[in-house]
Amino acid sequence: MEDDAPVIYGLEFQARALTAQTAETDAIRFLVGTQSLKFDNQIHIIDFDDENNIINKNVVLHQAGEIWDIAASPAEKAVITTCYNKTSDSRVVSCAAVWRMPSDWDSGSHESPDDSAHNPQTLELLCHLDNSAHGNAACVLWEPMGDGKRVISLADNHALLWDLQQSSTQATVSSTATLEGKGQLKFTSGKWSPHHNCSQLATANDTAIRGWDLRTMSQIYCIENAHGQLVRDLDFNPNRQYYLASCGDDCKVKFWDVRNVQEPVKTLEEHSHWVWSVRYNHSHDQLVLTASSDSRLILSNMVSISSEPFGHLVEDEELSEGEDNHQEDKSKEPLKDSVVSTYEEHEDSVYAAEWSSADPWLFASLSYDGRLVINRVPRALKYRILL
Amino acid sequence: MDAEGSVSEEAGRRRKVHGMLKLYYGLNEEGKVPELPQSLDPCDINGPHFDPEMYLNKLRRECSLAELMDHENCMVKQIRSLDSDMQTLVYENYNKFISATDTIRKMKNDFKKMEDEMDCLSANMAAITDFSACISGTLQDQHAQITKLSGVHTLLRKLQFLFELPARLNKCLELQAYAQAVSSHRRARCVLQQYSHLPSFKGIQDDCNAIMEKLAQELRQKFRDGGTSAKDLSECVELLLQLDEPAEELCDKFLSHARSRLELDLQGLEAEIKPDPPTSAVKEAATRRSSSTAAAGSPTANSPKTLSLPSPTPNTDILEFIDRGCNEFVSSLCLVITSYQELFINHAQTGELASKNIPQMANGKLQAFVHDLAARYFSLVERRIQEEKGVSDNSLLVRALDRFHRRLQAVSKLLPGSTVPNQGTEIVIRAATERVKQYLSALQSFYMDSLTDVRQALATPRLSVAAASVAGGGAHLGGPASGRDAPGSLPELLSSLSANILNQIKSVLASVHLFTAKDITFSNKPYFKGQFCSQGVRENLVVNFIRFVCQSSRQFCESAGDKGGSTPPALLLLLSRLCLDFETSTISYILTLTDEQFLVQHQNPITPVTTLCGEAREAAQKLLNHYVKVQGLIISQMLRKSVETRDWVNTIEPRNVRAVMKRVVEDTTSIDVQVGLLYEEGVRKAHSSDSSKRTFSVYSSSRQQPRYAASYTPSAPMDTNLLSNIHKLFSERIDIFSSVEFNKVSVMTGIIKISLKTFLECVRLRTFGRYGLQQIQVDCHYLQMYLWRFVSDENLVHFLLDEIVGSSAHRCLDPSPMEQSVIEVICERG
């Protein structure tokens, strides 16, 4: 059974920021933020037509500066946050803001890309997550599955919990947590846990991973030296509340049980350079996507630590039909942790990878040279998981 | 007819005559057949059926006259001779007859006289008979009396013996002539028993019994107190057996007596083990002591002894210990066995005791006894062997074990069915395997120790290098000389390390080989011929050690993997080379050596050389990869810090190369030197005709300038990436942390790749001002000038540096690059 070929989309600018439109559950839609120092930066809204294998794009201008991070509201499709660099007077400042995308982009999605490029619309600023007092923003996190009222921004060594009021036009800091220690500590990345009533946050700084309780804004666990070098990204297992994946500059992807932080549960060493992003599939947590600056994207099947540790046993009766008996026979063996496939469509460092929020078998990856690649989980594996 | 016969026969006449006579008297002794036709012929003058008429007629009819005349003459002659013969015969016989008649007459006279004498004799004889009868009649009474008297005499003597018996027995008792007493008593016993109904005899019997009881008592006493020699003891037993002591009891007593003496030996041995616990295991010693006293069964007897032992007794070596065990315990055990067998088994078989199944019973007891004591002895020996922890002198242990084993053979000869020798062999086997284990751990600790030494050796000059560089070659302790020596010592360290390991293995093999020496008694046991060699030595010792080396090397990679540098990189490099050497030569050499020395028969599945080599190679690869990673990381960290900490937007115009870059080049050079000491150069792609910096300057100016130019033109934002993308399209994908080959160039390429890629990624995270970009340009040019010579493919360095400059140009707010010539001037200035 042949898998569909990957769909590639090229941006004109270099880009690092990629997110799925979380609130959208029908259409497959990704948002990409560009990085350009000389031109107006853009947010590309990429719609993927699964049936026709066609990409439709809309471009919205983001004039505030080059985008380092982008996140979509889980409640409102049009609301997003970005972290961007603003250059003024030979100074570079990182800021974060909440934006609303123009309302008519949706209707214009069927226009030809050329037309929309002519007349790009501009984002509507809802509010700044004004953190000049706290330093440069690294990333903004929405409350998972929340009502779009709460965000956390990580800035230097502060974690700020914001309440968005009046249709997100006003933001107030409700509580803060500060990382204290020797030297200049800086959060590099973070993740809001969807478990425990969304009361926990995990952050990465240097080689350590820390867990925070948002009710008290205090640290609940700390994995010192989680990676040999810088920790680049984190993700929570959507189904197993104590499981956490991390990746970093030691080329490794590690899986942790936060109840026992001495040793990782599992370690993957498939990449040959820094791993920049790790993402659990939202529905099938054995599928883990990792992106690395070795220009590769790797999809792994971590059966042994998933919430469905043995997969679904395939019944013989089900197999007796169809032409794929021979292929399917193999699936009777218990599945092992393995690399499902390695995607080599990128030619520069891949800094971001995301699963689609609408189709659990589809994901996008973005490399620095502005190439966005949309791929699917191999069908053989998909059927093995489903059946 | 004789007359006519004599006519025909003339020659041998005399014979003929005798034959004739014989014939006449019917003495035909010969019975000749040809006589018959002769005799039947009536014309045969000598035949019995001769008919003169027929003969005459025949003559007359057949013969002429002359012939008749001749015949007549012949006949007359014959007749005459026959006549004369007859006459002489008659005369002879006549004379004989005459003398016979005379003799008869004379005899007649003699007989008459003899008859008279005979008559006289018979008369005399009758008189003698009368007298004799008379005498015997008179002597009859006296004879009966004498017979009776002599009977009384013997009886009296016997009685006297009986009456004197108690006194005699007493005397014997006093003189301790027990054997005599017992034999006396035995003689009297039956009689006394028979006549015991008579009061006097009863008295004697009682006396005797009392005395004998006393004697038996005394014997038992003698038997009981241990002082007597084995010979005395056996005599005692023999006597007691004769005194109808129950044999079983005697066996028990004998054995218990022997046991007490043997136990003394055992305690002596035990005492030698005990004083050893030096300082640490006091508690353990106490428990051991208490357990041992409990085992001995008589704590009261033992405890003072153990306490009175002079604690600082020098711990005897194992050979002495075994010697003592053999000489004291085993030999007395053998003595006991022999005398016991003599007494209760061989002896009883002949005597009347045989019927009571005593030999079987006695044998059973003996077996149990020997088994029990041997078990204790073995446990002692094993404890002692276990104390032999030091692996310094194996020959001592082997000799001790040999002696131990040899002496047990004596027991096996005495007691054919015993399990004792087998147990002994098992102990030897256990000791041997234990020893092999000890050697393994000794080898391992030796290896770890030598690694520590190497580590120290690596650390010391390293410090002095650092000190020298800080002090600027001043008169520091280490001095620059030692610093310069340091890298030179790396191959020396490697060779000395591997030589040490090899020597150690060899010496261990030689030590272990003692176990299978020809003159050692247990070496011909099947275990030592087969399993010990293949499993014990080859697998458990040699193969396990090699595995250990590989494994510990791998551990260096893993333990150090997380937070870098706990192991010095030079050690990683050295170990990697060591493992590689193992793979190429050492392993096969060691295993061949082992196989040859021990004549390993490959009966069990053994680890093949190739597997081990594979493991070693894998370890070497892993170590080298790790080395690259660690070194790469060190340089990356420098580069990253330098990029991250600087404010690139507001920097001043570059006047020289940043110190970090110089440091990077310095470190790379020293790594290159270090690797070059242990690994070969390796192959590099052919350099372009002139790979000097000048080529690069042309290269960079021709390629980079248009790219920067392109990035200015706002009309074509796509173009900024175009060149880079096209370049990527035709270049191979670069795996940054990939496996390296076992040569210098590959290692250096790996390190430089890691460093430059880090540089690239860091640059991409920053924003640059105009001078920031120019500084990067200068730095990259500087790196290009020096790094190309280390790598296998200089294009790789070109490409990565291009990427860096390109990326920083993209991240630049005001991208106006520096003139190439200026860059060159700055770089050449230093």
Side-chain angles (χ1 to χ4, degrees):
Chain A
M1 186 183 309
E2 295 234 344
D3 288 317
D4 294 321
V7 179
I8 300 177
Y9 171 73
L11 281 77
E12 296 87 345
F13 299 104
Q14 288 167 335
R16 283 174 186 268
L18 169 72
T19 185
Q21 195 178 27
T22 323
E24 176 62 76
T25 52
D26 296 327
I28 299 164
R29 187 170 297 148
F30 293 99
L31 308 177
V32 181
T34 63
Q35 281 194 321
S36 171
L37 290 166
K38 294 144 208 140
F39 309 102
D40 275 346
N41 281 291
Q42 306 162 338
I43 289 180
H44 288 239
I45 302 159
I46 313 263
D47 270 286
F48 180 63
D49 183 347
D50 197 19
E51 282 167 21
N52 303 316
N53 250 17
I54 294 172
I55 282 178
N56 295 312
K57 71 156 185 178
N58 283 286
V59 178
V60 182
L61 285 181
H62 179 278
Q63 287 158 326
E66 52 174 4
I67 302 169
W68 288 83
D69 184 56
I70 186 167
S73 160
E76 278 187 81
K77 291 182 192 175
V79 177
I80 59 167
T81 56
T82 57
C83 290
Y84 56 92
N85 269 8
K86 200 164 63 182
T87 315
S88 57
D89 309 333
S90 307
R91 281 196 61 229
V92 180
V93 186
S94 298
C95 304
V98 186
W99 309 87
R100 181 183 292 278
M101 292 186 281
S103 54
D104 60 339
W105 59 268
D106 207 8
S107 60
S109 66
H110 296 295
E111 293 171 28
S112 70
D114 288 336
D115 295 340
S116 62
H118 274 301
N119 190 15
Q121 290 170 297
T122 310
L123 284 173
E124 174 193 347
L125 177 69
L126 291 180
C127 64
H128 284 290
L129 297 175
D130 188 8
N131 48 12
S132 54
H134 301 294
N136 293 324
C139 65
V140 175
L141 311 168
W142 288 90
E143 182 180 27
M145 295 168 290
D147 52 3
K149 295 289 181 216
R150 299 212 296 173
V151 291
I152 292 174
S153 70
L154 299 177
D156 279 354
N157 59 341
H158 300 285
L160 310 168
L161 178 59
W162 301 83
D163 276 333
L164 302 179
Q165 288 144 355
Q166 297 171 3
S167 329
S168 307
T169 52
Q170 203 174 347
T172 50
V173 175
S174 64
S175 55
T176 62
T178 306
L179 185 61
E180 274 155 14
K182 283 182 287 181
Q184 279 200 322
L185 294 176
K186 244 176 158 176
F187 286 119
T188 51
S189 170
K191 204 78 186 178
W192 196 326
S193 165
H195 306 292
H196 311 290
N197 243 343
C198 298
S199 64
Q200 287 189 7
L201 170 74
T203 61
N205 66 296
D206 199 16
T207 61
I209 297 171
R210 286 164 208 276
W212 304 84
D213 188 331
L214 295 174
R215 295 164 296 191
T216 58
M217 287 313 254
S218 59
Q219 185 176 314
I220 44 179
Y221 57 85
C222 176
I223 309 173
E224 296 280 3
N225 292 328
H227 285 268
Q229 301 173 54
L230 208 66
V231 180
R232 289 280 171 194
D233 196 19
L234 299 168
D235 199 19
F236 279 98
N237 187 315
N239 300 319
R240 303 187 76 180
Q241 56 184 344
Y242 297 110
Y243 276 71
L244 174 70
S246 67
C247 59
D249 286 2
D250 56 0
C251 313
K252 289 176 187 165
V253 178
K254 293 187 180 182
F255 297 89
W256 302 89
D257 182 337
V258 298
R259 292 165 297 186
N260 175 19
V261 297
Q262 302 307 315
E263 286 288 320
V265 182
K266 205 93 190 172
T267 302
L268 284 181
E269 278 183 85
E270 303 294 342
H271 286 291
S272 68
H273 201 245
W274 305 352
V275 187
W276 286 77
S277 172
V278 58
R279 287 287 179 270
Y280 276 110
N281 187 297
H282 305 306
S283 317
H284 305 282
D285 55 50
Q286 59 268 53
L287 299 177
V288 177
L289 205 56
T290 51
S292 158
S293 40
D294 63 1
S295 327
R296 288 194 183 93
L297 185 71
I298 291 182
L299 177 63
S300 307
N301 189 16
M302 304 301 292
V303 182
S304 69
I305 51 170
S306 78
S307 57
E308 314 167 354
F310 306 109
H312 293 286
L313 287 175
V314 181
E315 298 295 327
D316 286 3
E317 297 91 315
E318 294 180 69
L319 273 179
S320 60
E321 293 165 355
E323 297 172 355
D324 307 310
N325 273 357
H326 295 295
Q327 208 171 352
E328 295 286 322
D329 273 348
K330 294 172 195 162
S331 66
K332 271 189 269 186
E333 304 157 13
L335 294 170
K336 286 182 189 142
D337 293 349
S338 60
V339 170
V340 176
S341 67
T342 303
Y343 300 94
E344 312 213 355
E345 283 84 21
H346 293 288
E347 274 159 12
D348 204 336
S349 304
V350 187
Y351 292 131
E354 281 288 347
W355 291 94
S356 161
S357 54
D359 182 351
W361 307 109
L362 196 128
F363 52 88
S365 55
L366 179 68
S367 56
Y368 189 60
D369 52 9
R371 182 180 294 186
L372 179 83
V373 179
I374 294 178
N375 263 304
R376 293 182 185 83
V377 175
R379 272 187 209 167
L381 177 68
K382 175 174 164 181
Y383 291 143
R384 201 183 293 170
I385 292 172
L386 284 178
L387 295 178
Chain B
M1 77 170 177
D2 274 350
E4 286 162 324
S6 64
V7 179
S8 59
E9 312 234 336
E10 277 187 303
R13 201 178 111 231
R14 200 73 209 150
R15 260 195 73 86
K16 273 279 185 327
V17 170
H18 276 277
M20 224 65 81
L21 283 171
K22 263 184 195 163
L23 197 69
Y24 182 76
Y25 291 112
L27 292 170
N28 186 11
E29 76 241 89
E30 297 181 342
K32 286 174 184 164
V33 185
E35 258 177 84
L36 289 175
Q38 208 174 10
S39 57
L40 283 173
D41 187 7
C43 297
D44 181 9
I45 199 162
N46 288 329
H49 306 290
F50 181 67
D51 189 351
E53 282 300 318
M54 275 178 67
Y55 184 69
L56 207 56
N57 288 341
K58 190 186 169 192
L59 283 178
R60 261 189 316 230
R61 242 188 353 258
E62 290 173 5
C63 304
S64 61
L65 188 63
E67 278 174 335
L68 278 173
M69 289 294 285
D70 288 344
H71 208 89
E72 195 207 356
N73 285 340
C74 173
M75 189 91 70
V76 170
K77 253 191 245 176
Q78 279 184 356
I79 289 166
R80 268 181 206 151
S81 79
L82 276 173
D83 274 342
S84 70
D85 280 351
M86 187 116 69
Q87 269 177 349
T88 42
L89 271 173
V90 169
Y91 277 124
E92 273 175 19
N93 285 334
Y94 184 73
N95 280 342
K96 278 176 190 169
F97 182 74
I98 295 292
S99 71
T101 320
D102 285 349
T103 311
I104 287 166
R105 194 181 297 141
K106 203 173 156 192
M107 272 172 67
K108 215 175 187 176
N109 288 336
D110 286 351
F111 272 115
K112 206 168 265 166
K113 209 173 20 181
M114 206 147 71
E115 212 171 43
D116 293 344
E117 280 175 9
M118 283 306 287
D119 282 346
C120 177
L121 182 69
S122 69
N124 285 346
M125 281 310 292
I128 286 167
T129 318
D130 282 350
F131 275 124
S132 155
C134 179
I135 287 167
S136 54
T138 47
L139 285 179
Q140 186 71 41
D141 280 351
Q142 282 182 345
H143 176 73
Q145 228 170 343
I146 285 169
T147 320
K148 199 178 166 190
L149 278 175
S150 92
V152 169
H153 177 77
T154 27
L155 190 65
L156 280 175
R157 272 186 58 184
K158 279 187 186 168
L159 278 176
Q160 190 192 12
F161 175 77
L162 280 184
F163 287 129
E164 278 176 3
L165 188 60
R168 184 195 290 254
L169 286 180
N170 268 331
K171 205 175 173 190
C172 286
L173 201 60
E174 263 171 47
L175 294 173
Q176 298 197 322
Y178 300 117
Q180 205 185 340
V182 170
S183 71
S184 305
H185 181 251
R186 262 165 64 90
R187 288 216 315 259
R189 194 160 51 180
C190 293
V191 181
L192 287 172
Q193 190 64 38
Q194 199 176 348
Y195 294 100
S196 59
H197 57 281
L198 293 175
S200 54
F201 284 104
K202 180 73 177 167
I204 293 171
Q205 191 186 16
D206 289 347
D207 281 357
C208 285
N209 281 352
I211 293 168
M212 289 319 284
E213 193 56 44
K214 204 170 146 200
L215 184 126
Q217 207 68 43
E218 215 157 297
L219 280 176
R220 276 192 218 112
Q221 184 60 39
K222 197 173 158 191
F223 190 73
R224 217 171 285 137
D225 44 75
T228 47
S229 70
K231 201 176 163 201
D232 283 350
L233 201 68
S234 58
E235 199 180 85
C236 267
V237 171
E238 204 172 336
L239 291 176
L240 282 170
L241 266 180
Q242 283 177 2
L243 282 175
D244 276 351
E245 284 285 317
E248 195 169 338
E249 208 173 291
L250 274 180
C251 290
D252 285 346
K253 273 187 187 162
F254 184 86
L255 289 180
S256 75
H257 175 70
R259 180 188 294 271
S260 70
R261 276 187 305 145
L262 289 171
E263 238 153 45
L264 230 69
D265 291 342
L266 285 178
Q267 275 165 18
L269 290 177
E270 201 167 2
E272 280 191 28
I273 301 181
K274 266 176 198 165
D276 74 299
T279 47
S280 60
V282 178
K283 196 177 167 191
E284 190 188 308
T287 56
R288 191 195 291 175
R289 193 166 296 176
S290 68
S291 71
S292 67
T293 51
S298 53
T300 46
N302 273 350
S303 48
K305 197 171 276 177
T306 49
L307 288 177
S308 68
L309 275 166
S311 51
T313 313
N315 205 0
T316 50
D317 68 41
I318 187 157
L319 187 59
E320 263 174 68
F321 177 84
I322 293 286
D323 250 355
R324 192 169 157 191
C326 289
N327 292 339
E328 289 179 0
F329 177 79
V330 178
S331 56
S332 30
L333 183 68
C334 287
L335 207 65
V336 167
I337 293 172
T338 16
S339 55
Y340 183 92
Q341 281 178 331
E342 190 60 37
L343 282 174
F344 294 105
I345 298 174
N346 301 349
H347 190 68
Q349 267 164 357
T350 54
E352 72 275 19
L353 298 171
S355 56
K356 298 182 197 164
N357 280 342
I358 286 188
Q360 282 92 322
M361 181 276 296
N363 213 347
K365 276 189 192 302
L366 181 63
Q367 293 280 12
F369 168 79
V370 171
H371 187 82
D372 186 27
L373 279 174
R376 286 194 49 202
Y377 173 59
F378 288 156
S379 78
L380 282 178
V381 168
E382 257 186 305
R383 259 171 58 192
R384 182 67 185 85
I385 290 173
Q386 273 164 16
E387 276 169 26
E388 281 299 296
K389 289 273 188 275
V391 288
S392 52
D393 191 4
N394 197 41
S395 66
L396 209 61
L397 177 76
V398 173
R399 258 160 59 206
L401 287 175
D402 176 41
R403 202 155 298 177
F404 170 72
H405 191 259
R406 202 187 293 268
R407 289 301 281 262
L408 283 180
Q409 300 308 310
V411 178
S412 78
K413 269 181 207 133
L414 286 171
L415 272 181
S418 170
T419 57
V420 169
N422 284 343
Q423 287 175 350
T425 313
E426 269 166 33
I427 287 182
V428 173
I429 287 174
R430 273 203 292 277
T433 43
E434 187 60 35
R435 191 28 76 106
V436 167
K437 256 186 221 157
Q438 284 170 9
Y439 272 120
L440 177 62
S441 64
L443 271 181
Q444 290 175 351
S445 63
F446 170 81
Y447 175 69
M448 292 320 276
D449 286 352
S450 26
L451 280 195
T452 319
D453 290 350
V454 168
R455 213 184 249 242
Q456 272 167 1
L458 286 175
T460 331
R462 170 160 295 227
L463 282 176
S464 67
V465 166
S469 66
V470 167
H476 205 264
L477 260 174
S482 73
R484 223 159 279 141
D485 282 347
S489 67
L490 207 54
E492 284 161 33
L493 277 174
L494 174 70
S495 65
S496 78
L497 178 64
S498 65
N500 280 345
I501 290 173
L502 208 58
N503 281 340
Q504 200 67 14
I505 290 178
K506 273 185 192 162
S507 75
V508 162
L509 280 182
S511 299
V512 173
H513 195 245
L514 288 174
F515 277 109
T516 59
K518 285 238 163 42
D519 55 339
I520 302 294
T521 47
F522 51 75
S523 67
N524 59 359
K525 295 269 171 199
Y527 171 78
F528 279 97
K529 278 193 164 163
Q531 222 197 339
F532 178 74
C533 294
S534 69
Q535 286 300 311
V537 176
R538 192 186 190 277
E539 293 295 296
N540 288 346
L541 188 64
V542 179
V543 172
N544 272 0
F545 177 64
I546 294 169
R547 285 234 161 98
F548 172 79
V549 170
C550 297
Q551 216 139 32
S552 67
S553 308
R554 279 205 294 272
Q555 271 167 7
F556 276 114
C557 303
E558 276 146 30
S559 64
D562 279 343
K563 197 62 185 177
S566 66
T567 26
L571 182 66
L572 293 174
L573 189 67
L574 189 117
L575 283 178
S576 144
R577 184 69 220 191
L578 182 74
C579 286
L580 194 66
D581 287 348
F582 261 60
E583 190 251 332
T584 48
S585 59
T586 316
I587 287 178
S588 62
Y589 172 70
I590 293 173
L591 284 183
T592 319
L593 191 75
T594 313
D595 288 357
E596 272 169 9
Q597 268 192 15
F598 288 88
L599 303 169
V600 176
Q601 298 142 347
H602 300 307
Q603 45 200 8
N604 300 315
I606 53 160
T607 325
V609 178
T610 47
T611 318
L612 286 177
C613 287
E615 274 177 43
R617 193 179 177 85
E618 196 188 317
Q621 182 73 60
K622 235 176 167 174
L623 281 164
L624 197 61
N625 287 350
H626 192 65
Y627 174 76
V628 169
K629 226 174 187 177
V630 168
Q631 294 287 34
L633 188 63
I634 292 171
I635 296 180
S636 311
Q637 291 293 24
M638 271 192 294
L639 287 169
R640 168 189 272 179
K641 282 272 143 55
S642 78
V643 175
E644 279 179 358
T645 51
R646 198 173 175 116
D647 180 1
W648 290 100
V649 179
N650 303 310
T651 186
I652 51 158
E653 190 171 0
R655 304 214 173 272
N656 43 24
V657 180
R658 283 187 298 152
V660 172
M661 294 303 151
K662 290 180 180 165
R663 183 78 195 280
V664 166
V665 170
E666 262 170 36
D667 279 12
T668 313
T669 315
S670 72
I671 290 170
D672 182 62
V673 170
Q674 194 177 50
V675 177
L677 289 171
L678 292 181
Y679 280 99
E680 293 76 26
E681 180 73 24
V683 227
R684 46 175 99 225
K685 280 190 187 161
H687 293 306
S688 47
S689 57
D690 181 14
S691 314
S692 66
K693 55 188 170 129
R694 196 161 297 152
T695 324
F696 170 66
S697 65
V698 173
Y699 163 86
S700 60
S701 61
S702 65
R703 290 199 49 186
Q704 288 182 340
Q705 295 291 54
R707 277 178 60 188
Y708 297 152
S711 60
Y712 305 136
T713 50
S715 60
M718 280 289 279
D719 281 1
T720 49
N721 286 332
L722 196 62
L723 260 172
S724 152
N725 282 343
I726 288 171
H727 183 78
K728 276 176 198 163
L729 210 61
F730 292 106
S731 67
E732 284 170 35
R733 181 185 291 274
I734 302 167
D735 274 345
I736 304 303
F737 287 100
S738 57
S739 226
V740 292
E741 286 161 30
F742 292 107
N743 59 53
K744 191 180 87 177
V745 168
S746 176
V747 169
M748 292 315 294
T749 310
I751 293 171
I752 289 172
K753 256 192 325 194
I754 292 173
S755 313
L756 293 185
K757 178 77 177 177
T758 304
F759 196 10
L760 173 65
E761 292 293 340
C762 289
V763 161
R764 284 181 176 182
L765 289 171
R766 304 288 300 180
T767 310
F768 294 86
R770 175 191 202 171
Y771 298 125
L773 169 65
Q774 293 183 352
Q775 182 69 61
I776 294 289
Q777 268 184 289
V778 170
D779 290 350
C780 284
H781 184 77
Y782 183 79
L783 288 181
Q784 169 64 33
M785 273 167 62
Y786 290 99
L787 293 186
W788 65 267
R789 69 190 88 191
F790 298 122
V791 300
S792 62
D793 181 5
E794 57 182 313
N795 288 330
L796 191 79
V797 176
H798 293 184
F799 170 65
L800 280 168
L801 289 173
D802 262 7
E803 265 312 291
I804 293 168
V805 177
S807 288
S808 50
H810 276 298
R811 306 282 320 141
C812 185
L813 295 170
D814 175 19
S816 50
M818 199 177 231
E819 278 296 317
Q820 188 62 34
S821 54
V822 181
I823 295 176
E824 276 167 30
V825 167
I826 292 176
C827 285
E828 263 158 35
R829 207 171 50 196

